[in-house]
Amino acid sequence: MIPQADQRPLVGIFWMLVTGVCFIMVTALVKTMGPRMPPGEAAFIRYAMGLIFLIPAIGALRAAHLTRRQWGLFTLRGFCHAGGVILWFFAMVRIPIAEVTAMNYLAPIYVTIGAALFLGERLAARRIIAVVMGLAGAAIILRPGFREVSAGHIAMLFAAIVFAGSYLTAKIMADEVKPGVVVAMLSIFVTIGLAPFAAADWVTPTGRELAFLFGVACFATAGHYTMTLAFAAAPVTVTQPVTFLQLLWAALLGVIWFDEAIDIWVILGGMVILGSVTFITWREAMLNRSVTPLAHAPKT
C-alpha cells in the first residue's frame, strides 16, 4: 500500500507554496521596518510576542520530565539560535532580500557537514560532491574579489553556521522529546538568550515597529505550521524543490517593493545551493535514512 504521504503530493506542494509566502512576508516586514532598532532588540520583541502562541503547548511542557542533559541541550540550542537570529536581523536590513534568501539555503549544507563531524553520519562521495556544490553556490553569490562583501554577507555566513548547530541539536532532541516540546523550548530559550542583547542597546520602539514585529511573529508561526502540513502531506523530496520559489519571490519583491536590482549571479548561486540540498534530500530518502533537518525558513 502506498503511504498516505505519497498520495497527496499536490496538497504538500500547496502548503509549501503557502509556507513560502509566509516567510517572504517575514523578510519583507523586517526589511521595511528598517535598521533603526538594534537587531538584538527587534529579535527579542518578536520572540517575546511569539510566546503567546505557546499557550496550547503548556500541557505538554508540564508533562515533559526533562533530564539535566536535555535541559543543557535545550539551553545550548536556544543560545545558538538566538545568535543566529540576531545575525539574520542584522543582515536583512543591510543586503538585498534575494541575497539573504539565497544564503539562507546554506544552513542544510552545514548541517550535513556537522552531522558527519559530530553525529557520526557517513559522508559518502555523493554527499561530499553536493556539499562542494553548495559551497560553490555561496561563492557565486558572494564573488569575493569581484564585488564588495559587506558586513551583511558575513553575518549571513555565520548565521547559517549557528543555525546548523541549532538544527543538529534539534535532531538529537527530536528522538527523545515530543516535537511540540522541542519547538516550545526553542522559543523560550531564544527569548531568554536575546534578552541581554536587547537590554544592552534598548531603543524605545514605535507603534509602527511593534505592529511590524507582531506581524513577523504571526507570519513566522503560520509558516512553520504550514510547512509541517506540507511535510505531513507529501515526501520532502516532493516539497523540497518548491522552496526555490522563495528565491524568485524574494527577487521580485526586492525589485517591486525595495527597488533592488536583480542580480543573476545571486539567482544562479541560489539555484546551485538549492540543487545540492535537493540532491542530498533525495539521496537520503532513497537510502531510507534519517534525513537531517532541511528547512529553509527564516529563523525568526
Side-chain angles (χ1 to χ4, degrees):
M1 181 180 294
I2 299 176
Q4 180 66 20
D6 292 336
Q7 295 178 357
R8 305 177 353 186
L10 292 180
V11 174
I13 291 172
F14 168 77
W15 284 122
M16 190 55 74
L17 288 172
V18 175
T19 299
V21 172
C22 288
F23 289 136
I24 287 299
M25 287 303 300
V26 167
T27 54
L29 288 172
V30 172
K31 195 168 186 67
T32 302
M33 191 175 67
R36 191 190 80 90
M37 184 182 296
E41 178 187 348
F44 170 75
I45 294 175
R46 171 266 179 266
Y47 267 90
M49 288 180 169
L51 291 178
I52 190 174
F53 299 112
L54 297 184
I55 293 176
I58 290 177
L61 286 172
R62 295 178 64 181
H65 300 289
L66 302 178
T67 65
R68 179 177 299 180
R69 170 182 165 278
Q70 290 169 338
W71 279 107
L73 287 173
F74 277 130
T75 303
L76 174 64
R77 187 192 182 204
F79 280 90
C80 282
H81 209 90
V85 170
I86 291 175
L87 291 168
W88 186 88
F89 268 84
F90 177 88
M92 189 68 255
V93 297
R94 287 169 174 81
I95 61 177
I97 191 171
E99 295 186 18
V100 172
T101 303
M103 294 181 69
N104 196 49
Y105 292 140
L106 280 172
I109 302 297
Y110 294 141
V111 167
T112 300
I113 297 173
L117 293 176
F118 302 111
L119 301 184
E121 292 189 10
R122 192 170 72 90
L123 199 58
R126 293 181 180 88
R127 296 183 80 183
I128 294 175
I129 293 173
V131 167
V132 171
M133 284 177 54
L135 297 177
I140 292 172
I141 295 172
L142 295 175
R143 303 190 302 285
F146 296 92
R147 59 169 291 182
E148 178 186 0
V149 178
S150 70
H153 295 113
I154 301 300
M156 276 306 300
L157 285 174
F158 281 99
I161 293 173
V162 292
F163 282 139
S166 173
Y167 284 144
L168 288 172
T169 309
K171 181 178 175 63
I172 296 171
M173 299 309 298
D175 295 330
E176 304 177 11
V177 183
K178 292 182 179 179
V181 174
V182 175
V183 173
M185 293 296 281
L186 175 66
S187 297
I188 292 170
F189 276 101
V190 169
T191 305
I192 295 172
L194 290 170
F197 295 96
D201 192 16
W202 183 265
V203 175
T204 302
T206 64
R208 173 180 177 272
E209 288 169 336
L210 291 175
F212 273 51
L213 289 171
F214 182 71
V216 169
C218 292
F219 277 112
T221 301
H224 285 290
Y225 179 69
T226 55
M227 185 167 59
T228 301
L229 293 178
F231 290 157
V236 70
T237 49
V238 172
T239 59
Q240 184 76 31
V242 182
T243 61
F244 172 66
L245 291 177
Q246 292 182 34
L247 179 57
L248 296 182
W249 292 335
L252 290 175
L253 183 65
V255 171
I256 297 171
W257 191 256
F258 299 106
D259 197 27
E260 298 172 347
I262 292 181
D263 188 336
I264 189 62
W265 294 106
V266 173
I267 303 298
L268 176 61
M271 290 177 64
V272 172
I273 295 172
L274 184 56
S276 68
V277 172
T278 301
F279 174 79
I280 292 173
T281 306
W282 172 81
R283 183 62 183 171
E284 293 297 322
M286 293 300 99
L287 295 176
N288 196 27
R289 289 200 225 147
S290 176
V291 180
T292 47
L294 294 174
H296 301 299
K299 317 304 183 297
T300 52

